[in-house]
Amino acid sequence: MGGGLSRHGLAAAVSEAGGLGTIAVGGAEAIRRELAAARDLTGRPLAVNLLLPFARRGWFEAAGEADVVVTFWGRPRRRTPGVWLHQCGSVAEAREAQSAGADGVIVQGVEAGGHVRGTVPALELLERARAALPADYPLLLAGGIAEAGDVRAALEAGATAAVAGTRFLLAEESRAHPAYRERLVAAGETILTDLFGAAWPAPHRVVPNAATERWLGGVRPFRGISPGKDERRLVRAPGANRALNHLLAPGARYTPPSLQLGMMRRQRPGSRLLTPAGPTDDGPATLVDACALYAGETVARIGDVRPAAAIVRDLSG
Ligand SMILES: Cc1cc2nc3c(=O)[nH]c(=O)nc-3n(C[C@H](O)[C@H](O)[C@H](O)COP(=O)(O)O)c2cc1C
């Protein structure tokens, strides 16, 4: 979980408990620092996640020191010599990653939290990808994993492993702001939107807050007659917001992190430019109404914050 939501504490706790913890921070120096801090806490394998639209050469070198590198969003290409997984939203993308030499792919369903590449439910994409790729090719499933039964269903459907984000956002070790976690624990619905698209105009799943209320007119897509179906419809930001996001996107990659951070801290629910950064515990609580409160559909089934080790134990059934 990017933007520093998943750092060494969470990753190490997940790995130590028998999962594969993933660090997601920007910049070569931060990746090295977080990986070293996680290595101090666990001797077990660790992963580093890189978002391809933003990652630069030095980031790949630093990430290559992890046991697994996971990439997302962009043309899959082997950039590190070790174990490499690419998260995909379609069969075509999974095939492309396999051809590019990925050691496995994560198939992401539309129900997932954070940025959403998938357009169909995870189990459906898994079935299609299984049919299209060699029988022994590792396929991991992301989206809809919050309880042991979800993991079992994924494995029974042919997944090599299950990937969970939202459930670990609500782990004690995650760096989500406490006020963000409170909103998530209370949430029962999510919106798939492109609202928080400054620098990265890509669909993402969030829980409603003042910013979504202001710009999306308080849509309540989930509390309808057909929950799943409505919740999977992309609710677009107003045209002017989208135009601005697209205009600024090409330069965003080269915006210094300090400037991005300044922009994020100044943003208000009424700002037309809303950055993709999520509220972390080292920022002000007011950001919970101005930033993206990323969460997957499973948020409706999660009602507590627990230690990561307990979550791994529960998911393992
Ligand atoms: C808060 C949050 C941040 C995320 N950030 C990233 C990211 O930086 N890179 C990435 O590959 N996936 C990211 N994801 C997506 C996850 O890899 C995964 O697809 C998703 O969490 C699965 O759905 P779930 O949240 O319902 O478990 C994020 C998800 C969440 C909830």
Side-chain angles (χ1 to χ4, degrees):
M1 292 177 288
L5 287 164
S6 179
R7 297 186 217 172
H8 65 274
L10 179 59
V14 169
S15 289
E16 191 59 21
L20 176 65
T22 307
I23 291 165
V25 291
E29 210 184 296
I31 293 169
R32 284 214 168 84
R33 190 180 56 237
E34 288 297 324
L35 197 51
R39 295 267 191 232
D40 282 345
L41 298 173
T42 182
R44 300 182 67 103
L46 289 158
V48 165
N49 177 271
L50 294 175
L51 294 170
L52 293 177
F54 304 100
R56 308 211 203 149
R57 187 181 302 159
W59 303 24
F60 286 98
E61 278 165 23
E65 290 166 24
D67 302 278
V68 178
V69 174
V70 184
T71 55
F72 190 32
W73 219 283
R75 220 182 121 230
R77 187 154 70 89
R78 180 170 272 287
R79 301 285 299 268
T80 48
V83 178
W84 168 44
L85 303 175
H86 183 72
Q87 181 161 228
C88 306
S90 67
V91 171
E93 198 184 0
R95 273 215 191 97
E96 202 184 342
Q98 190 228 1
S99 307
D103 297 291
V105 298
I106 301 171
V107 294
Q108 188 202 40
V110 67
E111 62 275 69
H115 283 80
V116 182
R117 192 113 174 130
T119 55
V120 298
L123 284 168
E124 198 177 316
L125 181 55
L126 175 70
E127 192 184 335
R128 291 189 203 170
R130 264 277 157 257
L133 290 159
D136 59 349
Y137 190 66
L139 293 177
L140 291 71
L141 176 143
I145 304 290
E147 298 163 64
D150 305 322
V151 177
R152 262 197 310 275
L155 299 183
E156 278 163 17
T160 314
V163 177
T166 303
R167 181 55 272 197
F168 287 103
L169 197 56
L170 290 168
E172 283 173 7
E173 296 87 345
S174 106
R175 299 298 302 268
H177 196 286
Y180 175 14
R181 292 202 272 205
E182 271 170 36
R183 294 284 179 95
L184 259 48
V185 166
E189 60 189 322
T190 61
I191 305 171
L192 182 64
T193 183
D194 57 0
L195 180 65
F196 300 91
W200 191 15
H204 39 269
R205 187 174 292 286
V206 296
V207 302
N209 63 359
T212 63
E213 201 83 18
R214 161 70 181 85
W215 292 108
L216 307 177
V219 254
R220 287 282 179 271
F222 185 41
R223 251 183 234 134
I225 307 148
S226 51
K229 199 157 169 250
D230 281 354
E231 213 178 2
R232 284 156 190 184
R233 181 174 61 90
L234 179 68
V235 183
R236 286 199 178 278
N241 299 38
R242 278 189 281 138
L244 208 56
N245 290 342
H246 280 275
L247 202 70
L248 295 177
R253 196 167 171 224
Y254 304 102
T255 311
S258 56
L259 191 65
Q260 288 180 29
L261 198 69
M263 254 180 86
M264 192 267 273
R265 288 191 178 212
R266 273 195 303 276
Q267 101 188 11
R268 300 284 172 268
S271 306
R272 221 176 248 287
L273 268 179
L274 292 168
T275 71
T280 46
D281 58 6
D282 42 10
T286 48
L287 289 180
V288 289
D289 268 314
C291 284
L293 302 183
Y294 297 115
E297 287 181 9
T298 57
V299 78
R301 293 192 269 136
I302 304 173
D304 59 3
V305 175
R306 265 187 278 167
I311 297 173
V312 173
R313 229 181 4 255
D314 290 351
L315 288 174
S316 312

